[in-house]
Amino acid sequence: MRTEDYYKEILRKYWGYQDFRSIQLNIIQSIAEGRDTLGLMPTGGGKSITFQVPALAMEGVCIVITPLIALMKDQVANLKKRHIKAAAVYSGMTREQIITTLENCIFGAVKILYVSPERLASNLFLTKLRHINVSFITVDEAHCITQWGYDFRPSYLKIANIRQHLPGKPILALTATATPAVVDDIQDKLHFRAKNVFSMSFERSNLAYIVRKTENRAAEMLHILNKIDGCAIIYVRNRKETKELAEFLCNNNVKATFYHAGLADSIRDERQREWQSDKIRVMVATNAFGMGIDKPDVRIVIHIEAPDCIESYFQEAGRAGRDGEKAYAILLTNRSDIARLRKRAVADFPDKEYIRKVYEHVAYFFQIAVGSGYGMAFKFNIMKFCRNFKHYPAMVEAALRILEQAGYIEYNCNDDAKSRVMFDLRRDELYRLHNNSQLEDKLIETLLRNYNGLFVDYGMVDEDFLSHLIGCEETEVHECLKLLARKHIISYIPPRDEPLIRYVQSRELTERISIPYYIYEQRLEKSKERTEAMISYMTCETECRSVMLLEYFGEKNGKRCNMCDVCTSANDDEDDMEYAIRRIMEYLSDGTPRTYKELRDFDHKIETNVLANALDYLLSEEKVTTDGIHITSNNA
C-alpha cells in the first residue's frame, strides 16, 4: 500500500502543491485500497486531483467517464502539459482514431482515459477493454445517473454494466451537488459493494449570497459591476441575451464579451483566454460556460434569472471566490419569475398521449413499420418534422427525451460533430491544378498550413477558423469547400447539425407505448419540488441564504453567514447589544469552550465594551458559564 508521503510526492511533482485539501487524501486512499467510493465535493473543491493522483500511483489505466466533451479535451490538454499520459474517446472521432487511442491504452502509453458514457457499450470499446489493464473507474458528474437528480442522463444507467467486464475493480463516483436522496441512489445505481461516502461541507464562508428584486435587470447588473471591483460572470438563460447584454456593458464602458455553445470552438477558446487573462472583465454566458474553468479570482457571479433548481444555482454561483477572498453571488429577480419557473418545471413533461403521438409521427417520418426499425439510426431534421406534423420543437424535444428514458429510442444531439475534410489528390497533384479561383487556392493553402494528415484520413476542420485566417465570411468558406468537393479535389463532410434518432427496440404499436410511473410522474413531482425550493430561496426574507443552501444539501446546524442580504438586513434592525448576544451564542453553539480573546477576535463588528456587557448579561441569565478562563454555552 502506498504511503501518504508517496501521494504527496506525486502531487508536488505534477501539480506543485505541497499538500492535499480537505477530503482529497481520504478519497485517494479509499480508492487505492480498492473500495468503491463516492466523493461529494462542491465546485472548486479539487475533484480532479482525487482520481488523477491515484491513477498515477497505481498500475494500469484509470477510465474516467464524463458526458462533457469540451471538459474531456480541456482535461487531456492540461494533463499533457504536465507530462501525464492522457487521452479521450468521444463522438466525432474516426474509427481509426478510436482504435489507435485504445491500443495505446493496451500497450501502456496512456494512464488516464476519458470516455463518454455512450461509448461504453460499443462493441469496439468492449473488445479492446478486455486487453486493457484497468486500475479503477471514475464516474464524474455522478448525479447524472439518478432520476432523483436534476440532470438525469439515461446513458449513465449503462455505466454499472461495465463492472461485469472489470470484476473487482473499484469505482470512484464524484459530484459537486447532491441531496441525501441522490447520494444514496448514486451508490445503488453504481452497485457499490458497501456504502462509502466522503463529503466536504457546502459552506462557502467567503461568499455573500444576495437576492435582489429589480424590474430593470440590465441597469441593476451595471450598478453592481460599477460598485464592486473585479472579474465577473453573468449567467443568462439564452444565447441571444448573451450578445445583447455584452453589447450593453461595452456601451457603458465595461469590458465584456459573450459565450454560448453555438459559437465555434476557436471563438469560445479565444474569449475564454481573454477573460482568464483579464483582458476582458465580464463574461456574459449561458450555462455552457464554467465547466473546467479554473479562475480563482472571480469576484462576482450574477444570475440575470433564476436557474431551474438549487443544484444548478449553487454550482454556478460557486465559481466566485475560489481564492478564499470575499466574493458575491447575486440573483436578480422580479414578480414574473415565480410563474415562469413553475411553467418551466412542467415543460419537460408533455401529456402522455402527446408523447405517444410524437412516437407515431417519428415512425411515419422515417417510414418505420410496426415490428421493424431495431438498431436503425436516422438523421432527424426537427424543423422539417415539426412543419410536416404541426408540432412545436420544444415539446418534441421533451417527448423524445422521455421516450429515450423509457427505452424506446436514443436521441443523440451531438454539438461536437464538426466538419471533416480529406484531400482526394496527392500533394504534388495540387500544385499542378489550374483554373481555380483565388479563394479556392487560398483555402487549399490554408488547409495545408494548418491541418496535418489530410492526405491519409479525414480531419476535423472549423469553417469559422478558416474564414478568420483567409479574411472572408464563414458562408464563403462553406460554399468553397463544397465546390472543391465537386471538383474531386477534396472529400468534404459538412457539420452535422441534425441530431440522430436510433431505435433501441423495434417499433411498437402506438397504444402499447408505456411511460412508467418512475419515468414520468415521479420525475415530474421531483421537478416541481426542485422548483419550489428555488422559489423559496428567492422569496424568503427571514432565513440566512447560506443556511438555506446548506439545509437543502442535508447539512443541519449551519451558522448564519452575516453577509447575505437577509443577514445584513437583520443586523441593521438589531441594536449592538442584541447583535453581540446573538453572535456569541452562535459562536458557542458547538459546545467548544472559548477564551475571552477568541470571543473578541471572531467578530470585529462587536465593540469591546458591548462584548463585556453582553457576556455579563448571558452569565446573569445562566445562558453561559465560565471557569475564569473559558466561556461555555449552557444551550449547546
Side-chain angles (χ1 to χ4, degrees), residues 221-228 232 234 249 281-282 300:
M221 170 190 69
L222 181 62
H223 169 75
I224 292 166
L225 292 171
N226 286 333
K227 189 175 180 181
I228 303 171
I234 313 294
L249 290 173
R281 180 190 173 199
V282 179
I300 317 160

Side-chain angles (χ1 to χ4, degrees), residues 31 50-51 54-55 58 61-63 134-138 169-170 172:
I31 199 69
T50 64
F51 64 83
M58 298 165 71
V61 181
C62 169
I63 295 177
V134 175
S135 53
F136 64 99
I137 309 156
T138 298
K169 300 297 182 182
L172 171 60

Side-chain angles (χ1 to χ4, degrees), residues 372-508:
S372 64
Y374 173 71
M376 296 175 68
F378 304 89
K379 288 185 179 181
F380 183 59
N381 186 327
I382 191 168
M383 299 312 295
K384 182 178 179 182
F385 175 81
C386 289
R387 283 196 305 271
N388 287 0
F389 295 98
K390 308 288 190 296
H391 290 300
Y392 292 104
M395 289 186 69
V396 169
E397 288 260 1
L400 292 174
R401 294 296 181 200
I402 291 173
L403 287 166
E404 180 180 37
Q405 289 155 16
Y408 291 100
I409 63 168
E410 281 183 359
Y411 180 54
N412 179 21
C413 259
N414 180 17
D415 290 333
D416 207 62
K418 303 301 181 187
S419 304
R420 287 179 176 77
V421 165
M422 181 173 69
F423 280 107
D424 289 342
L425 302 178
R426 297 193 307 271
R427 186 181 289 270
D428 62 313
E429 291 176 317
L430 290 177
Y431 297 119
R432 294 198 294 269
L433 290 174
H434 299 289
N435 303 319
N436 280 343
S437 69
Q438 187 176 355
L439 178 59
E440 289 169 339
D441 285 336
K442 184 69 174 174
L443 180 54
I444 291 171
E445 179 184 347
T446 305
L447 287 169
L448 291 171
R449 285 184 175 179
N450 291 278
Y451 296 95
N452 296 321
L454 297 185
F455 290 96
V456 294
D457 199 359
Y458 282 100
M460 284 190 285
V461 299
D462 186 333
E463 285 93 338
D464 180 74
F465 176 62
L466 290 168
S467 69
H468 177 72
L469 293 176
I470 295 170
C472 65
E473 294 295 323
E474 183 178 347
T475 52
E476 293 180 84
V477 170
H478 180 68
E479 291 303 318
C480 190
L481 287 168
K482 289 199 294 185
L483 184 58
L484 290 172
R486 286 197 292 270
K487 291 182 175 182
H488 303 290
I489 296 171
I490 64 170
S491 292
Y492 173 49
I493 302 174
R496 177 169 59 77
D497 294 324
E498 296 172 347
L500 285 178
I501 288 179
R502 187 171 77 87
Y503 280 80
V504 295
Q505 59 175 274
S506 299
R507 181 195 163 189
E508 284 277 7

Side-chain angles (χ1 to χ4, degrees), residues 557-595:
N557 306 316
K559 296 178 181 177
R560 290 169 64 96
C561 68
N562 289 296
M563 294 191 297
C564 72
D565 57 300
V566 174
C567 285
T568 53
S569 174
N571 292 347
D572 291 343
D573 294 338
E574 292 175 317
D575 64 25
D576 293 345
M577 181 73 164
E578 289 172 336
Y579 176 75
I581 290 169
R582 178 173 59 77
R583 292 290 284 137
I584 290 167
M585 295 306 293
E586 286 176 353
Y587 190 49
L588 298 175
S589 64
D590 63 356
T592 304
R594 307 286 184 181
T595 64

Side-chain angles (χ1 to χ4, degrees), residues 38-42 142-144 146-151 175-187 195 197 199-200 202 309-312 314 526 529-531 533-534 548-556:
L38 171 57
L40 192 59
M41 305 177 74
H143 57 271
C144 295
T146 170
Q147 295 182 61
W148 298 111
Y150 72 102
D151 193 19
T175 182
T177 49
T179 62
V182 168
V183 168
D184 288 340
D185 205 35
I186 288 171
Q187 294 174 89
K195 293 205 170 184
V197 182
S199 177
M200 284 176 63
F202 282 90
C309 61
I310 294 286
E311 289 92 337
S312 294
F314 185 81
K526 279 292 170 187
E529 286 177 14
R530 286 192 291 271
T531 295
M534 190 74 239
M548 290 185 75
L549 293 172
L550 292 174
E551 288 180 349
Y552 183 81
F553 291 112
E555 287 191 41
K556 308 301 180 185

